[in-house]
Amino acid sequence: MPPAQAAFLRYLFGLAFLLPTFASIINTKLTLRTTSKLAVRGIAHAVAVLCWFYAMTRIPIAELTAMNYASPVCIMAAAAILLGERLGLRRILAIAACLAGILIILRPGFREVSAGHFAMLAAAAAFAISYLIAKGLSEQLGATVVVGMLSLVVTLCLAPFAAAVWVAPAKEEILWLILVAFFATLAHYLMTLSFRSAPLSVTQPAVFLQLVWATLVGAILFGEPADAFVILGGFTIVAAVSLVALGDSAQLEDTQRKARPGAAGTSE
């Protein structure tokens, strides 16, 4: 199935799972500014999804997943610029380490960097834009509204691309895509809840567990051998951003402890 069609059907079926939430979406009063943010996020996410589905057909799953870790790197840098989140020396070093990890994965000059790799880098950047906007929206709207509007806008954006390459899907393909839509929609909902609960620098490292699952799935189900450079590069990024998250968590706990009644008079 063409990547654009697979992406469209994934979001179309995802809308079906969100139908019970559309009443709350209709009853939500959206300002022009909020509607614009929802539209921009949907467009950015549609671009990311198109690139991601294309890259999936060109490079191994583990490699695709590891390269997707460029998204949290973009998020950390952009969150400091657009959202005012602090970018200290620890985060700057982490970003440098993450970029080094990406170079380890790509190994330019030592092997061919294909169109799939460039598509995945574009997807990571577009996902970063989507997640940054989602961070702000999650503080203004309910998770069901944020996820529902995302699915609606992305489906509309992908429709013309799918129509241009449409082939009749088999029943088995439809069933698999319904399953994908269910888990992906659930993941978006849970991710939106996490955006409301913690800073982006804390929530994003959790996605690094995907490298473990992607490597296993690629090896067991698709016969894709584990690439030592991909694993090394992926876990270089994991280690760098996880250290940032641990530092942020420690600072958050320290701030909360000092804010407790009676804490002002205590000494270290």
Side-chain angles (χ1 to χ4, degrees):
M1 182 182 294
Q5 182 180 347
F8 168 74
L9 289 175
R10 169 261 176 272
Y11 273 89
L12 181 65
F13 295 145
L15 277 179
F17 292 113
L18 291 169
L19 283 178
T21 70
F22 270 47
S24 63
I25 295 175
I26 294 173
N27 293 329
T28 300
K29 295 182 179 179
L30 300 175
T31 64
L32 179 61
R33 181 179 178 83
T34 302
T35 303
S36 300
K37 287 182 179 180
L38 289 167
V40 172
R41 191 208 174 191
I43 294 170
H45 209 89
V47 171
V49 169
L50 278 174
C51 292
W52 190 92
F53 271 82
Y54 174 80
M56 176 67 78
T57 66
R58 295 293 186 273
I59 59 179
I61 294 176
E63 197 164 331
L64 178 141
T65 303
M67 289 187 63
N68 195 44
Y69 295 160
S71 183
V73 178
C74 297
I75 287 175
M76 277 201 302
I81 299 172
L82 301 178
L83 302 182
E85 294 189 7
R86 184 173 174 272
L87 186 64
L89 178 62
R90 186 174 68 249
R91 291 193 185 184
I92 294 174
L93 294 175
I95 291 173
C98 290
L99 294 176
I102 294 170
L103 289 176
I104 292 172
I105 296 168
L106 291 178
R107 304 191 298 282
F110 294 93
R111 68 163 186 171
E112 179 185 2
V113 180
S114 69
H117 295 110
F118 288 115
M120 196 57 230
L121 288 174
F127 275 133
I129 295 172
S130 173
Y131 295 151
L132 276 172
I133 298 175
K135 171 64 175 176
L137 289 172
S138 66
E139 296 172 355
Q140 305 170 21
L141 305 170
T144 54
V145 176
V146 175
V147 176
M149 289 299 296
L150 174 70
S151 295
L152 179 60
V153 175
V154 172
T155 302
L156 294 174
C157 289
L158 294 178
F161 295 97
V165 295
W166 189 267
V167 295
K171 292 181 180 180
E172 183 180 355
E173 292 172 331
I174 292 176
L175 291 175
W176 278 114
L177 283 169
I178 290 174
L179 191 64
V180 169
F182 170 76
F183 283 110
T185 303
L186 177 63
H188 274 294
Y189 178 77
L190 296 175
M191 182 174 62
T192 303
L193 291 179
S194 75
F195 286 160
R196 179 177 292 183
S197 303
L200 285 170
S201 56
V202 175
T203 58
Q204 283 302 301
V207 304
F208 296 145
L209 287 173
Q210 292 176 358
L211 183 58
V212 177
W213 314 131
T215 302
L216 291 174
V217 168
I220 296 172
L221 297 183
F222 299 102
E224 298 173 350
D227 187 320
F229 286 99
V230 172
I231 295 174
L232 175 61
F235 278 102
T236 298
I237 302 172
V238 169
V241 184
S242 295
L243 286 175
V244 172
L246 289 173
D248 288 347
S249 297
Q251 288 182 355
L252 181 60
E253 290 177 3
D254 185 58
T255 301
Q256 291 175 339
R257 180 179 56 80
K258 291 179 178 179
R260 296 190 189 106
T266 61
S267 59
E268 296 293 337

